[in-house]
Amino acid sequence: DMLPAAPEVADSVLTLCFHLPDVVESIGAASCDPVLLARLAVTAKSLHGFILKPEFAAARAHDLANAGSKHLAHCKSLAEIAAGMAASKLCSADSLNHVYFEMGGGVEVKRMSKPFLHEVGKILKKFPDCRAHIEGHVAPGAPSSVAMSCARQRAESVIAELVKLGVERSQLSCKSWGKKVSSLWSYDGHSTARAELFFLNGEMRFPEVPDVYEQALQLPQSQSESEEEHWRGPRFYFGASSDSEDEESSDDESESEFSETGVPLLLD
């Protein structure tokens, strides 16, 4: 009489096992897949409370950082991890995090960079706490009189493209560098007529900001650069606040933490 009930007993025992914190922790360490873990979280109230704890996400972020994804080291939610993984996958393509323009002062985004921006838009819309910061550049040989202005227009063109794709303006910021950064680049096969896009989410920055940006800050500023240097949106890098007083958005607007809301975002 006991035999027919055996499968039900086994199912009950298995279910109970999945509710044990040590078992869930082991599953998380073995998988580190934020979407899979989010799906597991919605199967039971007890799992929901355990898996969505910041401590659980921080442990998974630590595991991923040790496995080589160092940009995820400080993530505090599964949603932050998922956004960071999506950004990493996107920027692993040949074009990296670059948005290209025509040489000679072009300020319209080249067709070849549109698919990249389309994918950026998808990430930013899926993860509203994720932001993008765009750095505008011109080639080292550009005339100094127009370098900062052209770099600013390129950065703002990227923002305009993303807004057209449905991204919230408060998720975007930019800075023009003129040729201060490009003059420090060693030629790597990529056009210098470009903007570079960086993802930000909590303490995550991806890709890692190259050292040349810090080096460029130490260079003396010319008169044209002083007049033209332009910020749009919160100044996310190098620990400084925005130079713009009339910007509608602020850093504080995007500080909400993921909790239960992180689950439907991951499962969309």
Side-chain angles (χ1 to χ4, degrees), residues 167-231:
V167 176
E168 293 293 331
R169 180 61 183 81
S170 60
Q171 292 177 266
L172 305 168
S173 67
C174 70
K175 175 176 169 51
S176 55
W177 287 90
K179 53 185 178 179
K180 289 182 72 172
V181 172
S182 64
S183 65
L184 300 173
W185 284 333
S186 57
Y187 181 69
D188 58 1
H190 293 278
S191 171
T192 52
R194 71 183 191 234
E196 296 188 341
L197 185 147
F198 297 88
F199 289 93
L200 306 98
N201 196 358
E203 295 183 43
M204 183 199 77
R205 304 289 184 270
F206 190 81
E208 183 178 352
V209 181
D211 291 340
V212 291
Y213 282 96
E214 189 65 43
Q215 295 168 16
L217 288 175
Q218 311 307 318
L219 296 176
Q221 190 174 48
S222 69
Q223 179 67 25
S224 61
E225 289 170 342
S226 178
E227 292 173 354
E228 285 288 345
E229 185 173 16
H230 187 77
W231 286 90

Side-chain angles (χ1 to χ4, degrees), residues 18-257:
F18 274 106
H19 287 234
L20 295 174
D22 288 347
V23 174
V24 178
E25 185 70 28
S26 297
I27 293 173
S31 169
C32 289
D33 183 332
V35 176
L36 177 62
L37 293 172
R39 292 186 184 280
L40 183 60
V42 299
T43 60
K45 193 171 184 179
S46 60
L47 291 176
H48 183 277
F50 183 81
I51 292 175
L52 295 186
K53 284 182 177 180
E55 296 82 2
F56 183 84
R60 304 292 71 78
H62 179 74
D63 293 337
L64 288 163
N66 285 340
S69 300
K70 297 188 182 301
H71 65 290
L72 301 176
H74 301 293
C75 290
K76 295 180 174 63
S77 72
L78 294 180
E80 286 186 8
I81 293 173
M85 293 175 74
S88 178
K89 181 179 179 181
L90 176 60
C91 295
S92 65
D94 291 340
S95 61
L96 306 177
N97 63 327
H98 302 166
V99 181
Y100 295 111
F101 298 83
E102 291 290 347
M103 293 291 290
V107 295
E108 297 294 324
V109 174
K110 293 184 73 172
R111 184 185 299 272
M112 64 181 293
S113 291
K114 296 292 183 75
F116 170 76
L117 290 182
H118 182 76
E119 294 302 316
V120 171
K122 287 167 63 175
I123 293 173
L124 295 177
K125 287 187 290 184
K126 185 171 185 178
F127 302 102
D129 278 4
C130 189
R131 295 166 289 175
H133 184 74
I134 299 95
E135 310 279 15
H137 305 283
V138 296
S144 297
S145 59
V146 298
M148 292 299 289
S149 176
C150 181
R152 170 177 56 81
Q153 291 180 67
R154 285 175 174 174
E156 291 186 339
S157 290
V158 176
I159 284 184
E161 290 288 335
L162 290 171
V163 169
K164 283 195 296 185
L165 290 169
V167 176
E168 293 293 331
R169 180 61 183 81
S170 60
Q171 292 177 266
L172 305 168
S173 67
C174 70
K175 175 176 169 51
S176 55
W177 287 90
K179 53 185 178 179
K180 289 182 72 172
V181 172
S182 64
S183 65
L184 300 173
W185 284 333
S186 57
Y187 181 69
D188 58 1
H190 293 278
S191 171
T192 52
R194 71 183 191 234
E196 296 188 341
L197 185 147
F198 297 88
F199 289 93
L200 306 98
N201 196 358
E203 295 183 43
M204 183 199 77
R205 304 289 184 270
F206 190 81
E208 183 178 352
V209 181
D211 291 340
V212 291
Y213 282 96
E214 189 65 43
Q215 295 168 16
L217 288 175
Q218 311 307 318
L219 296 176
Q221 190 174 48
S222 69
Q223 179 67 25
S224 61
E225 289 170 342
S226 178
E227 292 173 354
E228 285 288 345
E229 185 173 16
H230 187 77
W231 286 90
R232 291 284 293 176
R235 186 171 183 171
F236 293 126
Y237 293 119
F238 313 123
S241 59
S242 174
D243 291 344
S244 175
E245 294 294 331
D246 59 353
E247 181 60 40
E248 294 180 358
S249 64
S250 72
D251 246 347
D252 294 333
E253 291 179 357
S254 300
E255 293 297 323
S256 61
E257 292 291 331

